[in-house]
CSV table of all heavy atoms in Angstrom, one decimal:
chain,number,residue,atom,x,y,z
A,1,PRO,N,8.8,-31.7,-3.0
A,1,PRO,CA,8.2,-30.9,-4.0
A,1,PRO,C,9.2,-30.3,-4.9
A,1,PRO,O,10.5,-30.2,-4.7
A,1,PRO,CB,7.6,-29.8,-3.1
A,1,PRO,CG,8.5,-29.7,-1.9
A,1,PRO,CD,8.9,-31.1,-1.7
A,2,ASP,N,8.7,-29.9,-6.1
A,2,ASP,CA,9.5,-29.0,-7.0
A,2,ASP,C,9.3,-27.6,-6.8
A,2,ASP,O,10.2,-26.8,-7.0
A,2,ASP,CB,9.1,-29.4,-8.4
A,2,ASP,CG,9.3,-30.8,-8.8
A,2,ASP,OD1,10.5,-31.2,-8.9
A,2,ASP,OD2,8.3,-31.6,-8.9
A,3,TYR,N,8.1,-27.2,-6.3
A,3,TYR,CA,7.8,-25.9,-6.0
A,3,TYR,C,7.1,-25.9,-4.7
A,3,TYR,O,6.3,-26.8,-4.3
A,3,TYR,CB,6.9,-25.3,-7.1
A,3,TYR,CG,7.5,-25.3,-8.5
A,3,TYR,CD1,7.1,-26.4,-9.3
A,3,TYR,CD2,8.3,-24.4,-8.9
A,3,TYR,CE1,7.7,-26.6,-10.6
A,3,TYR,CE2,8.9,-24.5,-10.2
A,3,TYR,CZ,8.5,-25.5,-11.0
A,3,TYR,OH,9.1,-25.6,-12.3
A,4,VAL,N,7.2,-24.7,-3.9
A,4,VAL,CA,6.6,-24.6,-2.6
A,4,VAL,C,6.0,-23.1,-2.5
A,4,VAL,O,6.7,-22.2,-2.9
A,4,VAL,CB,7.5,-24.8,-1.4
A,4,VAL,CG1,6.8,-24.5,-0.1
A,4,VAL,CG2,8.1,-26.2,-1.5
A,5,SER,N,4.7,-23.0,-2.2
A,5,SER,CA,4.2,-21.7,-1.8
A,5,SER,C,3.8,-21.7,-0.4
A,5,SER,O,3.4,-22.7,0.2
A,5,SER,CB,3.0,-21.4,-2.7
A,5,SER,OG,1.8,-22.0,-2.2
A,6,VAL,N,4.0,-20.5,0.3
A,6,VAL,CA,3.8,-20.3,1.7
A,6,VAL,C,2.9,-19.1,1.8
A,6,VAL,O,3.3,-18.0,1.4
A,6,VAL,CB,5.1,-20.1,2.4
A,6,VAL,CG1,4.8,-20.1,4.0
A,6,VAL,CG2,6.1,-21.3,2.1
A,7,MET,N,1.8,-19.2,2.5
A,7,MET,CA,1.0,-18.0,2.9
A,7,MET,C,0.8,-18.1,4.5
A,7,MET,O,0.1,-19.0,4.9
A,7,MET,CB,-0.3,-18.0,2.3
A,7,MET,CG,-1.2,-16.8,2.8
A,7,MET,SD,-2.8,-16.7,2.1
A,7,MET,CE,-2.4,-15.8,0.6
A,8,ILE,N,1.5,-17.3,5.2
A,8,ILE,CA,1.5,-17.4,6.7
A,8,ILE,C,1.7,-16.0,7.2
A,8,ILE,O,2.4,-15.1,6.6
A,8,ILE,CB,2.5,-18.4,7.2
A,8,ILE,CG1,2.2,-18.8,8.6
A,8,ILE,CG2,4.0,-17.8,7.1
A,8,ILE,CD1,1.0,-19.7,8.7
A,9,GLY,N,1.1,-15.7,8.4
A,9,GLY,CA,1.4,-14.4,9.1
A,9,GLY,C,0.2,-13.9,9.8
A,9,GLY,O,0.4,-13.1,10.8
A,10,VAL,N,-1.0,-14.0,9.3
A,10,VAL,CA,-2.1,-13.4,9.9
A,10,VAL,C,-2.4,-13.9,11.3
A,10,VAL,O,-2.7,-13.1,12.2
A,10,VAL,CB,-3.4,-13.4,9.0
A,10,VAL,CG1,-4.0,-14.9,9.0
A,10,VAL,CG2,-4.4,-12.4,9.4
A,11,ASN,N,-2.2,-15.2,11.6
A,11,ASN,CA,-2.4,-15.7,12.9
A,11,ASN,C,-1.3,-15.2,13.8
A,11,ASN,O,-1.5,-15.0,15.1
A,11,ASN,CB,-2.5,-17.2,12.9
A,11,ASN,CG,-3.8,-17.7,12.4
A,11,ASN,OD1,-4.8,-17.1,12.6
A,11,ASN,ND2,-3.7,-18.8,11.6
A,12,ASP,N,-0.1,-15.0,13.3
A,12,ASP,CA,1.0,-14.5,14.1
A,12,ASP,C,0.7,-13.1,14.6
A,12,ASP,O,1.1,-12.8,15.8
A,12,ASP,CB,2.2,-14.4,13.2
A,12,ASP,CG,2.7,-15.7,12.6
A,12,ASP,OD1,1.9,-16.2,11.7
A,12,ASP,OD2,3.7,-16.3,12.9
A,13,VAL,N,-0.1,-12.4,13.9
A,13,VAL,CA,-0.6,-11.1,14.3
A,13,VAL,C,-1.9,-11.2,15.1
A,13,VAL,O,-2.0,-10.6,16.2
A,13,VAL,CB,-0.9,-10.2,13.0
A,13,VAL,CG1,-1.5,-8.9,13.4
A,13,VAL,CG2,0.4,-9.9,12.3
A,14,TRP,N,-2.8,-11.9,14.6
A,14,TRP,CA,-4.1,-12.0,15.2
A,14,TRP,C,-4.1,-12.4,16.7
A,14,TRP,O,-4.9,-11.9,17.5
A,14,TRP,CB,-5.0,-12.9,14.4
A,14,TRP,CG,-6.5,-12.7,14.5
A,14,TRP,CD1,-7.1,-11.7,15.1
A,14,TRP,CD2,-7.5,-13.4,13.8
A,14,TRP,NE1,-8.5,-11.8,15.0
A,14,TRP,CE2,-8.8,-12.9,14.1
A,14,TRP,CE3,-7.5,-14.5,12.9
A,14,TRP,CZ2,-10.0,-13.4,13.6
A,14,TRP,CZ3,-8.7,-15.0,12.5
A,14,TRP,CH2,-9.9,-14.5,12.8
A,15,ARG,N,-3.3,-13.4,17.0
A,15,ARG,CA,-3.2,-13.8,18.4
A,15,ARG,C,-2.9,-12.7,19.4
A,15,ARG,O,-3.1,-12.7,20.5
A,15,ARG,CB,-2.2,-15.0,18.5
A,15,ARG,CG,-2.6,-16.3,17.8
A,15,ARG,CD,-3.8,-16.9,18.3
A,15,ARG,NE,-5.0,-16.3,17.7
A,15,ARG,CZ,-5.5,-16.7,16.5
A,15,ARG,NH1,-4.9,-17.7,15.8
A,15,ARG,NH2,-6.6,-16.1,16.0
A,16,GLN,N,-2.2,-11.7,18.8
A,16,GLN,CA,-1.8,-10.5,19.7
A,16,GLN,C,-3.0,-9.6,19.9
A,16,GLN,O,-2.9,-8.7,20.7
A,16,GLN,CB,-0.7,-9.8,19.1
A,16,GLN,CG,0.6,-10.7,18.9
A,16,GLN,CD,1.7,-10.0,18.2
A,16,GLN,OE1,2.2,-8.9,18.7
A,16,GLN,NE2,2.2,-10.5,17.1
A,17,PHE,N,-4.1,-9.9,19.2
A,17,PHE,CA,-5.3,-9.1,19.4
A,17,PHE,C,-6.5,-9.9,20.0
A,17,PHE,O,-7.2,-9.4,20.9
A,17,PHE,CB,-5.8,-8.5,18.0
A,17,PHE,CG,-4.9,-7.4,17.5
A,17,PHE,CD1,-3.7,-7.8,16.8
A,17,PHE,CD2,-5.1,-6.1,17.7
A,17,PHE,CE1,-2.9,-6.7,16.3
A,17,PHE,CE2,-4.3,-5.1,17.3
A,17,PHE,CZ,-3.1,-5.4,16.5
A,18,ASP,N,-6.7,-11.1,19.5
A,18,ASP,CA,-7.8,-11.9,20.1
A,18,ASP,C,-7.5,-12.7,21.3
A,18,ASP,O,-8.3,-13.3,22.0
A,18,ASP,CB,-8.5,-12.7,19.0
A,18,ASP,CG,-7.6,-13.9,18.6
A,18,ASP,OD1,-6.4,-14.0,19.0
A,18,ASP,OD2,-8.1,-14.8,17.8
A,19,ALA,N,-6.2,-12.8,21.6
A,19,ALA,CA,-5.7,-13.5,22.8
A,19,ALA,C,-4.5,-12.7,23.3
A,19,ALA,O,-3.4,-13.3,23.6
A,19,ALA,CB,-5.3,-14.9,22.5
A,20,ARG,N,-4.7,-11.5,23.6
A,20,ARG,CA,-3.6,-10.6,23.9
A,20,ARG,C,-2.9,-10.9,25.2
A,20,ARG,O,-1.7,-10.6,25.4
A,20,ARG,CB,-4.0,-9.1,23.9
A,20,ARG,CG,-5.0,-8.8,25.0
A,20,ARG,CD,-5.5,-7.3,24.9
A,20,ARG,NE,-6.3,-6.9,26.0
A,20,ARG,CZ,-5.8,-6.3,27.1
A,20,ARG,NH1,-4.5,-6.2,27.2
A,20,ARG,NH2,-6.6,-6.0,28.1
A,21,LEU,N,-3.5,-11.6,26.1
A,21,LEU,CA,-2.8,-12.0,27.4
A,21,LEU,C,-2.2,-13.4,27.3
A,21,LEU,O,-1.5,-13.8,28.3
A,21,LEU,CB,-3.8,-11.9,28.5
A,21,LEU,CG,-4.4,-10.5,28.8
A,21,LEU,CD1,-5.3,-10.5,30.0
A,21,LEU,CD2,-3.3,-9.5,29.0
A,22,LEU,N,-2.5,-14.1,26.3
A,22,LEU,CA,-1.8,-15.4,26.1
A,22,LEU,C,-0.5,-15.3,25.4
A,22,LEU,O,-0.4,-15.6,24.2
A,22,LEU,CB,-2.8,-16.4,25.4
A,22,LEU,CG,-4.1,-16.6,26.0
A,22,LEU,CD1,-5.0,-17.6,25.2
A,22,LEU,CD2,-4.0,-17.1,27.5
A,23,TYR,N,0.5,-14.8,26.1
A,23,TYR,CA,1.7,-14.4,25.5
A,23,TYR,C,2.4,-15.5,24.8
A,23,TYR,O,3.2,-15.3,23.9
A,23,TYR,CB,2.6,-13.7,26.5
A,23,TYR,CG,2.0,-12.5,27.1
A,23,TYR,CD1,1.7,-12.5,28.5
A,23,TYR,CD2,1.6,-11.3,26.4
A,23,TYR,CE1,1.1,-11.4,29.1
A,23,TYR,CE2,1.1,-10.2,27.0
A,23,TYR,CZ,0.8,-10.2,28.4
A,23,TYR,OH,0.2,-9.2,29.0
A,24,GLU,N,2.2,-16.7,25.3
A,24,GLU,CA,2.9,-17.9,24.8
A,24,GLU,C,2.4,-18.2,23.3
A,24,GLU,O,3.1,-18.9,22.6
A,24,GLU,CB,2.7,-19.1,25.7
A,24,GLU,CG,1.2,-19.6,25.8
A,24,GLU,CD,0.4,-18.9,26.9
A,24,GLU,OE1,0.9,-17.8,27.3
A,24,GLU,OE2,-0.6,-19.5,27.2
A,25,ASN,N,1.3,-17.7,22.9
A,25,ASN,CA,0.8,-17.9,21.6
A,25,ASN,C,1.2,-16.7,20.6
A,25,ASN,O,0.8,-16.8,19.4
A,25,ASN,CB,-0.8,-18.0,21.6
A,25,ASN,CG,-1.2,-19.2,22.3
A,25,ASN,OD1,-0.5,-20.2,22.4
A,25,ASN,ND2,-2.4,-19.2,22.9
A,26,HIS,N,1.9,-15.7,21.1
A,26,HIS,CA,2.3,-14.6,20.3
A,26,HIS,C,3.5,-14.9,19.5
A,26,HIS,O,4.4,-15.6,20.1
A,26,HIS,CB,2.4,-13.3,21.1
A,26,HIS,CG,1.2,-12.9,21.8
A,26,HIS,ND1,1.1,-11.8,22.6
A,26,HIS,CD2,-0.1,-13.5,21.8
A,26,HIS,CE1,-0.1,-11.6,23.1
A,26,HIS,NE2,-0.9,-12.6,22.6
């Protein structure tokens, strides 16, 4: 690419709420 855009982070947070005991996904 000449340009790259990245939107990431909400799942990094969300897994700590909707799968709070699945620590391997946090």
Side-chain angles (χ1 to χ4, degrees):
D2 299 290
Y3 305 94
V4 175
S5 84
V6 184
M7 176 181 280
I8 200 69
V10 71
N11 287 322
D12 304 68
V13 171
W14 205 1
R15 296 297 84 85
Q16 299 176 60
F17 289 85
D18 71 350
R20 66 185 185 88
L21 298 180
L22 301 181
Y23 304 114
E24 65 272 19
N25 295 332
H26 298 181

